[in-house]
Amino acid sequence: MKRLGFGMMRLPMPDPKVQGVVDREAVCGMVDAFLERGFTYFDTAYMYHDGQSERIIRDCLVGRHPRESFTLTDKLPLMLLKDKTAEDQARIFAEQYEKAGVDYFDWYFLHNLNADSYETAKRLDSFRFLRERQAEGKFRRLGFSFHDKAEVLDRILTDHPEVELVQLQINYLDWEDGGVQSRLCYETAVKHGKPVAVMEPVKGGRLAKLPEEAAKVLAEVHPDWTPARWAIRFAAGLEHVMVVLSGMSTMEQLEENTGMMENPEPLEQAELDALARAAEIIAAIPAIACTGCRYCVEGCPQGIPIPEYFSLYNAEQLGLRQSGASTQRERYRALAESAAPAGECLVCRKCEDACPQHLPITDWLRRTARELE
């Protein structure tokens, strides 16, 4: 299997504010091109695109291509089961099959395991539940996606050696980050003999558009490489990585990613050194480590478009760094005309419970309001 996976969470949308409405014609074209280039791995989840991603998979992939021509992963949303019952777990699992239109999934994951959600999984006996479904032929292989410290990952893998794949957030900015612990989590998975699927190799797009100083460092080594190519090649070059997921939104992104991943070679030391210098520059700019997953939006009683505001905040900080000018306030005001402003946060912290990055979202919303309102 070629090592690039198609993540179905950032698909082309006619209106970026309406996550559940996707340009299916464009997605069909991207799916066809992806398969024609010999790539086969697709990744979806119950929550993606306001619950529509699995239906899009059915319409654009499952209903149009032979089942043996692709590999499909889906996930059980532990973040939605925190206060639910085993019956809810079984209901969601059954619903996913109907929405995706498949007889089986190749991989099935527990979604967003961390110290808190692991307690939910234990309460619902989720691992036993999934082993039973696996024995019934509902899916072929078991894994989980993970967002927490390496010590938590080590405990889960020790408790559950039956797991066959671990999906981790890995990119060169988070590699040595003390919060994300990309390197330590990767090494923990390797210690347990588990291959790794990589998510967020471009950190929600943050590594696709770099500060001028960081971009210059990389251009001195490879003038023809885009920032996204640097980021994906870093993740793909790790020895125990099975697949690198990319949430592609355009045909241009798909063409670039499939081209660079045709025969990816590990980065050489000079290239790794350049990435380390670029990471230092990027980390020095005040920014919110939001990857735009939108899990925080689901339960917000105010309907605040948190990822969009955080993207504007980060762009504002980058603009101030490079030109000294404020460039995002008008965009913020335009967005706030049709959605609740950041300053209307009720500090209920439902968003923080859902955030896989464990961000202090309410604090960042107050700061965003101060900067942009």
Side-chain angles (χ1 to χ4, degrees), residues 209 310-320 325 327-328 331:
K209 186 176 182 181
F310 285 178
S311 177
L312 292 175
Y313 176 91
N314 287 345
E316 173 77 355
Q317 298 307 309
L318 182 60
L320 291 172
T327 57
Q328 303 302 322
R331 293 180 61 192

Side-chain angles (χ1 to χ4, degrees), residues 40-61:
T40 60
Y41 190 99
F42 293 84
D43 174 272
T44 188
Y46 187 76
M47 298 172 62
Y48 294 170
H49 282 286
D50 284 349
Q52 296 303 309
S53 180
E54 290 156 335
R55 292 190 174 96
I56 296 164
I57 281 279
R58 178 195 63 205
D59 295 344
C60 298
L61 175 66

